Amino acid sequence: MVTINENYQKLPGSYLFSEIARRVAAYSEANPAKRLIRLGIGDVTRPLVPAVTQAMHQAVDEMATVTGFHGYGPEQGYAFLREAIAKEDYQARGADIAPDEIFVSDGAKSDCGNIGDIFGVDNVVAVCDPVYPVYVDTNAMAGRAGHYDGDKGRWDRLVYMPCVAENGFSPDIPSQPVDLIYLCFPNNPTGAVATRAQLQAWVDHANATGAVILFDSAYEAFITDPAIPHSIFEIPGAKTCAIEFRSFSKTAGFTGTRCAYTVIPKDLVRGGVALNGMWLRRQCTKFNGAPYVVQRGAAAVYTPEGRAQVRETIGYYLNNARVIREGLAGAGLTVCGGENSPYVWARTPDGLDSWAFFDRLLQQANVVTTPGAGFGPSGEGYIRLTAFGGAEDTVEAVERIKAIL
Amino acid sequence: MVTINENYQKLPGSYLFSEIARRVAAYSEANPAKRLIRLGIGDVTRPLVPAVTQAMHQAVDEMATVTGFHGYGPEQGYAFLREAIAKEDYQARGADIAPDEIFVSDGAKSDCGNIGDIFGVDNVVAVCDPVYPVYVDTNAMAGRAGHYDGDKGRWDRLVYMPCVAENGFSPDIPSQPVDLIYLCFPNNPTGAVATRAQLQAWVDHANATGAVILFDSAYEAFITDPAIPHSIFEIPGAKTCAIEFRSFSKTAGFTGTRCAYTVIPKDLVRGGVALNGMWLRRQCTKFNGAPYVVQRGAAAVYTPEGRAQVRETIGYYLNNARVIREGLAGAGLTVCGGENSPYVWARTPDGLDSWAFFDRLLQQANVVTTPGAGFGPSGEGYIRLTAFGGAEDTVEAVERIKAIL
């Protein structure tokens, strides 16, 4: 008789987005004439840029010919893409990363989820609170999170690192021993960034304790401040203690096109084993590479035209972020993020809890946001707004919110 | 201090294909004037068909517009594709499979590897011998295979089911209890197929014991005999004991385009839990769907034009398979497969072992094959040839082999 992975039974329901959908549907049904504007969405809305679609068209044409056809590609990605990434995203920033330390994949969600395969189940995992739920749920599935306490909204084997106004939304280094440390900067959901000194402290801590930092920099393209590092590998010592996840999803609008990459330096060794080799073995055994057509599209992001076009799209979203941030701050709300990030994290007014403020914005302003409590207990008292909507809608949403505050 | 997944340390090297590459490179270097023909390759070589590339071009054009842009899609695949699969691949064959029992992915290798996530580590796994190495290696990584005995070429916790001439390359049902049973028909590497009666026996066994059959039908498009089932779900009772893996890789030349699907019926319950729901949770947490452009290409396979074009490509490969099978049989070799499969499994002559015959074909006929021993101990004494090459090369390769036998 087959046994199932019992850890799945411990997972709470995906409460957040289903509950948002339920409340939005109920409101819409009762108020069919109201036009809702959605600033809760974490998905991009601008089209793929011309350099990318031209490269994809050309690649599709190649696939239609005997001589240009591409079958199985390298599991870790084509050299043309890995070389462009190494040169443009790392070496150009002084980070000494080689193409064979880069693994192209179908998405950062896949990589963040699958990376656990190469680690022992006994590792103690530290996550920020609030946090992107994938880090938590995938570790729970693997048995690293222990048991879930529904009242506290916490797993008993995870170490939670609060990111709150008191610490500037920058987590403190845990006082107890931890092994796998998930960090995400620019942060989802708070929009906070990490300074060079803050990241250096994490790297030094990990090297001193033997921990591994799992660094998610999916939103690095939104960094405007030249003093803020885009990669953990800009920090001395990171190559012996960190893995980085990157994605074309937010950089180039690839949420429906699917391409990302993970960087594992060859110097990263634990238990006497190079993690680069373990991940190569994992990917060669359980993955067959991202589509050729998609990798050609991703590589076009690094051409001069692609770079300029993508920068323009990022600028469009950053302008939305500015509108939200300045508008809400002008209306008296305390806000974080939105300067080097597509996310604005706003304190609820009048001591309202997340869901109460969500409801008020939905019902009075007809604007959909995301309640911060859905990202973890320390998200209580906040809402997340995103800059990925249309520019006109964003302006109107902010005007509506200001009008009711 | 981080611990690694120690199971990775137990894996033997990927000996087979690196050793083939080494021997081929050494021969080529010593004999630069010789033109090698590769019939060892498991990858397709014919271009994507026009219906598919047209659909992909159209989808790329959509992605270039604000109104046609697609961001995150459903993790389990777009309804347009799942509905086409349910109707054309299942309901049209009398298999009552609904769209929400289908999970579209980036590849059968991913699905075959990742499916282990939802099962307990204690399950006893049965595999055919010879076998597609992914089933074995992914279970070894998860800790289900026990320890590897290099002398025997076996893992001590796996149950091996020999597929040899004596049983017509059809595995016998194991006498000891097993939980997860991997079956692949048409088989890689032997090219054998399973009759309706044989599959019924497996289904009855699994239902009687509570085992789950993991059925890989990646090569079903090559079935020409109308009496041979294409899906395990054509067999009564399969919906309570089987999961099926399918791919567009060999059906429509998608090895570099990446699209596949897994079927988990809602009636499949173990430990009181529906595996369909577990897999949905797994995919929603660790995967973000196959690219929109690729799913549009895959859906075009089900149009009348796409169907006719794909059938023509399959016919091209099946003709190669016939050339190999008849040629080798005519030269006195005992062969299996090649009628309902792109693979021909040939007994070595003169009691040669797999590698010795491989070397003889390489050096005397300048034809690259795959030694059967690389697929498992019971593959010793066989070689695998594939029908995925060019038609002219295949004819010439067979002539060369006949000339030296």
Side-chain angles (χ1 to χ4, degrees):
Chain A
M1 173 62 84
V2 158
T3 64
I4 61 168
N5 177 349
E6 293 290 346
N7 295 310
Y8 277 61
Q9 295 305 100
K10 303 176 189 167
L11 291 165
S14 296
Y15 175 75
L16 178 62
F17 291 102
S18 60
E19 180 61 16
I20 291 173
R22 195 188 67 73
R23 294 191 189 203
V24 169
Y27 180 80
S28 287
E29 198 171 331
N31 303 275
K34 303 286 188 185
R35 189 178 81 87
L36 299 184
I37 299 179
R38 292 165 197 274
L39 295 189
I41 189 171
D43 194 4
V44 298
T45 55
R46 304 297 300 164
L48 293 181
V49 300
V52 168
T53 55
Q54 281 160 21
M56 291 178 73
H57 276 306
Q58 195 178 322
V60 172
D61 283 336
E62 284 182 64
M63 296 293 278
T65 66
V66 172
T67 51
F69 179 77
H70 283 72
Y72 291 122
E75 285 91 346
Q76 66 271 46
Y78 282 100
F80 65 76
L81 180 54
R82 289 185 291 119
E83 285 165 5
I85 292 167
K87 185 172 167 219
E88 305 292 339
D89 286 344
Y90 292 96
Q91 292 159 14
R93 292 191 179 279
D96 176 28
I97 294 294
D100 61 357
E101 297 176 311
I102 292 165
F103 298 83
V104 174
S105 78
D106 66 307
K109 188 180 175 188
S110 304
D111 289 349
C112 289
N114 293 332
I115 196 73
D117 281 18
I118 66 169
F119 293 110
V121 174
D122 54 336
N123 289 293
V124 174
V125 174
V127 294
C128 292
D129 170 26
V131 70
Y132 175 49
V134 168
Y135 314 147
V136 172
D137 290 356
T138 57
N139 277 293
M141 288 171 167
R144 284 190 202 93
H147 291 269
Y148 186 71
D149 181 332
D151 293 333
K152 293 183 182 163
R154 295 192 167 201
W155 294 85
D156 64 6
R157 240 191 128 245
L158 293 184
V159 173
Y160 291 87
M161 305 182 291
C163 299
V164 290
E166 290 67 37
N167 59 15
F169 303 100
S170 172
D172 299 321
I173 290 175
S175 49
Q176 69 263 62
V178 295
D179 303 309
L180 296 170
I181 303 167
Y182 287 83
L183 296 176
C184 172
F185 294 107
N187 188 259
N188 176 17
T190 70
V193 290
T195 65
R196 193 169 291 272
Q198 286 169 335
L199 291 182
Q200 187 70 63
W202 282 109
V203 165
D204 292 346
H205 176 75
N207 277 323
T209 61
V212 169
I213 297 169
L214 300 167
F215 192 78
D216 184 346
S217 58
Y219 300 95
E220 62 81 26
F222 294 85
I223 294 174
T224 53
D225 181 345
I228 300 296
H230 288 235
S231 165
I232 190 84
F233 298 116
E234 293 179 50
I235 307 301
K239 286 174 71 176
T240 53
C241 69
I243 291 172
E244 179 160 292
F245 305 104
R246 283 271 182 103
S247 171
F248 293 92
S249 284
K250 306 301 160 73
T251 304
F254 270 49
T255 52
T257 302
R258 315 302 316 141
C259 199
Y261 60 91
T262 288
V263 182
I264 308 187
K266 279 169 284 188
D267 292 347
L268 178 56
V269 175
R270 289 295 181 274
V273 181
L275 301 191
N276 179 289
M278 288 185 74
W279 186 244
L280 179 63
R281 185 72 195 247
R282 193 271 169 207
Q283 292 298 82
C284 288
T285 304
K286 294 194 183 185
F287 182 61
N288 244 326
Y292 173 72
V293 170
V294 169
Q295 291 191 58
R296 279 290 177 200
V301 172
Y302 297 98
T303 61
E305 310 76 49
R307 191 175 291 279
Q309 291 162 3
V310 160
R311 205 177 291 130
E312 193 180 322
T313 304
I314 297 286
Y316 179 97
Y317 293 135
L318 279 172
N319 188 56
N320 287 347
R322 185 186 55 75
V323 166
I324 297 170
R325 182 171 49 83
E326 293 180 356
L328 268 52
L333 294 188
T334 304
V335 295
C336 167
E339 284 178 303
N340 297 287
S341 160
Y343 295 122
V344 176
W345 189 241
R347 194 92 183 86
T348 60
D350 312 325
L352 288 176
D353 72 28
S354 290
W355 280 106
F357 192 44
F358 168 89
D359 283 337
R360 188 172 158 199
L361 292 174
L362 172 64
Q363 292 162 14
Q364 296 180 14
N366 301 148
V367 173
V368 182
T369 59
T370 310
F375 296 100
S378 296
E380 182 54 270
Y382 291 89
I383 57 160
R384 188 189 77 171
L385 300 100
T386 86
F388 292 125
E392 289 180 19
D393 271 357
T394 302
V395 169
E396 183 179 337
V398 170
E399 289 306 316
R400 290 188 195 172
I401 294 173
K402 284 163 74 174
I404 64 153
L405 288 180
Chain B
M1 172 62 84
V2 158
T3 64
I4 61 169
N5 178 349
E6 293 290 347
N7 295 309
Y8 277 61
Q9 295 304 100
K10 303 176 189 168
L11 291 166
S14 297
Y15 175 75
L16 178 62
F17 292 102
S18 59
E19 180 61 17
I20 291 173
R22 195 188 66 74
R23 295 191 188 204
V24 169
Y27 180 79
S28 287
E29 198 171 331
N31 302 275
K34 303 286 190 185
R35 188 178 81 88
L36 299 183
I37 299 178
R38 292 166 197 273
L39 295 189
I41 189 171
D43 194 5
V44 297
T45 55
R46 304 297 299 165
L48 293 181
V49 300
V52 167
T53 55
Q54 281 160 21
M56 291 177 74
H57 277 305
Q58 194 178 322
V60 171
D61 282 336
E62 285 182 64
M63 295 293 278
T65 67
V66 172
T67 50
F69 180 76
H70 283 72
Y72 291 122
E75 285 90 346
Q76 66 270 46
Y78 281 100
F80 65 76
L81 180 54
R82 289 185 290 119
E83 285 165 6
I85 292 167
K87 185 173 167 217
E88 304 292 339
D89 286 344
Y90 292 96
Q91 291 158 16
R93 291 191 180 279
D96 176 28
I97 294 294
D100 61 357
E101 297 177 312
I102 293 165
F103 298 84
V104 175
S105 78
D106 66 307
K109 188 181 177 188
S110 305
D111 289 348
C112 287
N114 293 332
I115 195 73
D117 281 17
I118 66 170
F119 293 110
V121 174
D122 54 335
N123 288 293
V124 174
V125 174
V127 294
C128 291
D129 169 25
V131 69
Y132 175 49
V134 167
Y135 312 147
V136 172
D137 290 357
T138 57
N139 277 293
M141 288 171 166
R144 284 189 202 93
H147 292 270
Y148 186 70
D149 181 333
D151 293 332
K152 293 183 184 164
R154 295 192 167 201
W155 294 84
D156 65 5
R157 237 191 130 245
L158 293 185
V159 172
Y160 290 88
M161 306 182 290
C163 298
V164 289
E166 289 68 36
N167 60 15
F169 302 100
S170 172
D172 299 322
I173 290 174
S175 49
Q176 69 263 61
V178 295
D179 303 309
L180 296 170
I181 303 168
Y182 286 84
L183 295 176
C184 172
F185 293 108
N187 188 259
N188 175 15
T190 70
V193 290
T195 64
R196 193 168 290 273
Q198 286 168 335
L199 291 182
Q200 188 70 63
W202 282 108
V203 165
D204 292 345
H205 176 75
N207 278 324
T209 61
V212 169
I213 297 169
L214 300 167
F215 192 77
D216 183 345
S217 58
Y219 300 96
E220 62 81 25
F222 293 85
I223 294 174
T224 53
D225 181 344
I228 300 295
H230 288 235
S231 165
I232 190 85
F233 297 117
E234 293 178 51
I235 307 301
K239 287 174 70 175
T240 52
C241 69
I243 291 173
E244 180 160 291
F245 305 104
R246 283 271 182 102
S247 171
F248 293 92
S249 284
K250 306 301 161 74
T251 304
F254 270 48
T255 52
T257 302
R258 315 302 317 141
C259 199
Y261 60 90
T262 288
V263 182
I264 308 188
K266 279 169 282 188
D267 292 346
L268 179 55
V269 175
R270 290 295 181 274
V273 181
L275 301 191
N276 179 290
M278 288 185 76
W279 187 244
L280 178 63
R281 187 72 196 248
R282 193 271 169 209
Q283 292 298 81
C284 288
T285 304
K286 293 195 182 184
F287 182 61
N288 244 327
Y292 174 71
V293 170
V294 168
Q295 291 190 59
R296 279 290 178 200
V301 171
Y302 297 98
T303 62
E305 310 76 49
R307 191 175 291 279
Q309 291 161 3
V310 159
R311 205 178 290 130
E312 193 179 320
T313 303
I314 299 285
Y316 179 97
Y317 294 135
L318 279 172
N319 188 57
N320 287 347
R322 185 187 55 76
V323 166
I324 298 169
R325 182 171 50 82
E326 293 180 356
L328 268 52
L333 295 187
T334 303
V335 295
C336 166
E339 284 178 305
N340 298 287
S341 160
Y343 295 122
V344 176
W345 189 241
R347 194 91 184 88
T348 60
D350 311 325
L352 288 175
D353 72 28
S354 290
W355 280 107
F357 192 44
F358 168 89
D359 283 337
R360 187 172 159 199
L361 292 175
L362 172 63
Q363 292 162 13
Q364 296 179 13
N366 301 149
V367 173
V368 182
T369 59
T370 310
F375 296 99
S378 295
E380 181 54 271
Y382 291 89
I383 58 161
R384 189 189 77 171
L385 301 99
T386 86
F388 291 125
E392 289 179 19
D393 272 358
T394 302
V395 169
E396 184 180 337
V398 170
E399 289 306 315
R400 289 188 194 172
I401 294 173
K402 284 164 73 175
I404 65 154
L405 288 179

